Amino acid sequence: MYQLKPAILKAYLNNGLACAVTGDTDEHLIGFVKADPVVMKNDGSFTSASDDPEGIFQQIVDGEVAIAAFEVGSRVVAPQYQNKGIGTKLKQMIAESVSLQYPGIPIFSVVAADNGPSIKSNQSAGWVEISEDKLKQETGGLGIFDDWTQPSIIFKYTPQISVDKNLMKEHSISHEKLGTCAVKLWTPESALIIHQTLEIHNWAPWLAASKTSLIGRSLIFPEGQLFIELPSGVIVASVSTNRIHWDGQVDHLPNWDTVAGEPTTYENTYKSDGNTLTLMSMNVHPSYQKFGLATALVHQTQEIGKTLGVEYIVGSFRPNEFGMFKAIHGPSDFGEYIKMTREDGTPRDAWIRSLKRSGMKQLKIDEQAMTVSGVTPEEFAELQANYHAKMWKQVADSTWECGEVGQWSIDRTTNLATYKESNVWGIIPGTLSYQKFNN
């Protein structure tokens, strides 16, 4: 398998110019693909980031060079995982991501003329064969085949997105104060907006999905990703779902991390014929959290479930107020908190209470729903300093509360930090199978 230094691959990933797939349990590298920026220097010559990735990335940031094109190459999949479509999917994801981050800049790939399978793969994925002269026209003179001896073909990326036609029709909801709001399916472009305006503001930095992850979800399962848009065009809420197989046995429900997969684009867990629609995450802009938008998205998710004909609609739901509860009352048992009610008998936690009003039935606690591991002492210190610094509290020798649902623990043998949190599995109305579960 082609070797790439971990630090170099990390640099590409951090700049949104690579996608990687790792194993579910031991996080071994299954495959990766990267997009190399080809830049024009002040003297008119070209150079690729593959020659000096970190140096070129810094020059791009500093404005010292101009990006002429991106070459998608180094698509590598471990032998035991080949011929499963992983490489093709990775290539499509990185091309779609780069095209949105750098609109208008050509994205190309070079394939040996005798590599029939790769040529066929590019053609079926919508990549268009172009001449070197055409590429030169679009890039200001980039000569791919200069000093090139092997006969090869240049393919240029053109976006192609497939969406279930039954779900393409735009819906709307009427709100007394907000007016008529549109409910739309994500596109890779709107996924970037959702990341910037909702995701990074609603989630702790170690839990927020990356731009690549959200774009991937919009490509893997576009029918299951919704957002609400105000009449002014501003996106104020979003929901992400995945489609999986579940046998209906409560004890067999996995944790959130397993359903999301790695990477969390759902590419390794989504089943096109799955019998279960799973709510994975929801965002509502802080300024619009008292307008019932979360409930509206739950109802829209129910409609998706009906259209897809799934048997179950479930979710690993996060009791958002548990973190603040612990900050006020000290370390508390998650299971006991979930059972707490107000004087009127409804759940103490606002999100769980809202779901209950929508008919959600609790199934079981999702133990260790989310786990983030391998955080270095330097990274941990940075999180403590920059994310709600006043909320961090050491409650035991190796345990920290941070104002979130979960808590951090420090492995004193490695000094690495791990974050773990629990959620609550629940099922919501919308299918006939809902009736067989007791509340």
Side-chain angles (χ1 to χ4, degrees):
M1 183 174 175
Y2 170 81
Q3 296 295 313
L4 187 67
K5 292 181 179 179
I8 299 299
L9 179 56
K10 185 177 181 179
Y12 276 91
L13 290 168
N14 289 342
N15 284 275
L17 297 177
C19 291
V21 180
T22 58
D24 291 334
T25 55
D26 56 4
E27 297 188 354
H28 64 283
L29 186 63
I30 291 175
F32 69 88
V33 65
K34 60 188 180 75
D36 288 311
V38 180
V39 300
M40 178 184 289
K41 297 187 290 186
N42 291 333
D43 61 4
S45 63
F46 294 89
T47 187
S48 170
S50 61
D51 300 326
D52 177 22
E54 293 172 312
I56 294 297
F57 293 155
Q58 189 59 51
Q59 290 179 43
I60 293 173
V61 172
D62 295 340
E64 297 177 3
V65 294
I67 302 175
F70 287 94
E71 180 177 7
V72 176
S74 300
R75 178 177 50 159
V76 180
V77 178
Q80 63 269 38
Y81 296 100
Q82 292 177 3
N83 300 316
K84 298 179 183 296
I86 294 175
T88 299
K89 188 170 291 185
L90 281 170
K91 184 173 183 178
Q92 289 301 99
M93 287 181 61
I94 191 60
E96 185 67 42
S97 175
V98 171
S99 71
L100 290 167
Q101 293 181 71
Y102 301 92
I105 296 181
I107 302 170
F108 70 93
S109 181
V110 180
V111 179
D114 60 357
N115 189 342
S118 186
I119 291 173
K120 184 177 180 180
S121 172
N122 277 274
Q123 292 172 336
S124 62
W127 290 63
V128 178
E129 182 178 344
I130 64 171
S131 67
E132 184 183 26
D133 287 340
K134 178 65 174 176
L135 185 62
K136 284 183 177 181
Q137 292 175 10
E138 296 186 9
T139 60
L142 175 61
I144 294 299
F145 296 144
D146 294 348
D147 301 321
W148 196 290
T149 57
Q150 183 180 19
S152 301
I153 299 171
I154 303 173
F155 284 96
K156 181 184 175 184
Y157 171 74
T158 54
Q160 282 194 342
I161 302 175
S162 177
V163 179
D164 187 328
K165 293 182 179 179
N166 292 323
L167 293 169
M168 289 180 67
K169 184 178 179 181
E170 183 178 311
H171 299 277
S172 63
I173 55 174
S174 296
H175 194 283
E176 182 179 352
K177 295 182 179 180
L178 302 180
T180 301
C181 302
V183 180
K184 300 180 179 180
L185 302 183
W186 293 13
T187 63
E189 184 175 16
S190 61
L192 285 175
I193 299 173
I194 290 167
H195 178 269
Q196 186 65 32
T197 61
L198 298 177
E199 186 76 15
I200 62 177
H201 298 294
N202 281 278
W203 293 86
W206 58 89
L207 295 176
S210 67
K211 291 185 290 185
T212 302
S213 178
L214 297 187
I215 290 172
R217 296 176 193 180
S218 74
L219 296 171
I220 299 297
F221 183 33
E223 301 93 327
Q225 322 306 316
L226 300 175
F227 68 84
I228 294 178
E229 184 180 79
L230 297 180
S232 62
V234 176
I235 296 176
V236 292
S238 68
V239 64
S240 177
T241 72
N242 194 7
R243 187 174 184 176
I244 63 171
H245 284 303
W246 176 47
D247 62 7
Q249 299 297 311
V250 173
D251 290 342
H252 294 172
L253 282 167
N255 62 13
W256 187 96
D257 281 342
T258 299
V259 177
E262 180 59 39
T264 57
T265 56
Y266 312 153
E267 63 189 76
N268 293 318
T269 56
Y270 167 72
K271 304 297 181 183
S272 60
D273 59 348
N275 69 338
T276 302
L277 188 65
T278 308
L279 280 83
M280 298 298 292
S281 66
M282 186 176 292
N283 291 313
V284 179
H285 191 282
S287 300
Y288 295 89
Q289 290 183 353
K290 301 296 182 182
F291 293 91
L293 299 181
T295 299
L297 283 174
V298 170
H299 293 163
Q300 290 296 321
T301 300
Q302 291 172 296
E303 293 302 314
I304 290 178
K306 293 175 183 178
T307 302
L308 294 176
V310 297
E311 192 173 353
Y312 308 102
I313 305 175
V314 301
S316 178
F317 299 113
R318 188 174 193 255
N320 295 324
E321 294 180 345
F322 185 48
M324 184 58 67
F325 179 85
K326 290 185 293 179
I328 296 172
H329 300 280
S332 306
D333 181 77
F334 181 85
E336 291 302 315
Y337 173 77
I338 291 300
K339 296 177 183 177
M340 292 181 182
T341 58
R342 305 190 304 175
E343 291 183 0
D344 61 2
T346 58
R348 179 188 181 104
D349 189 87
W351 177 225
I352 303 301
R353 185 166 64 247
S354 175
L355 290 164
K356 279 277 191 177
R357 287 171 176 164
S358 295
M360 186 270 285
K361 297 178 181 179
Q362 292 184 26
L363 299 178
K364 72 168 187 175
I365 293 178
D366 184 1
E367 299 284 357
Q368 296 185 14
M370 302 178 183
T371 300
V372 178
S373 58
V375 177
T376 66
E378 295 77 16
E379 292 169 334
F380 189 61
E382 184 177 349
L383 289 173
Q384 290 178 304
N386 298 322
Y387 181 74
H388 297 173
K390 294 182 179 180
M391 297 297 292
W392 291 79
K393 182 179 181 180
Q394 188 171 8
V395 295
D397 178 55
S398 302
T399 306
W400 288 80
E401 291 288 352
C402 58
E404 292 292 323
V405 175
Q407 63 180 196
W408 288 90
S409 61
I410 310 295
D411 185 335
R412 293 306 179 186
T413 61
T414 63
N415 286 327
L416 295 178
T418 298
Y419 174 85
K420 294 181 180 180
E421 76 168 50
S422 297
N423 288 176
V424 179
W425 275 111
I427 186 167
I428 63 175
T431 66
L432 294 176
S433 298
Y434 167 82
Q435 301 299 332
K436 75 177 185 179
F437 294 91
N438 295 321
N439 203 0

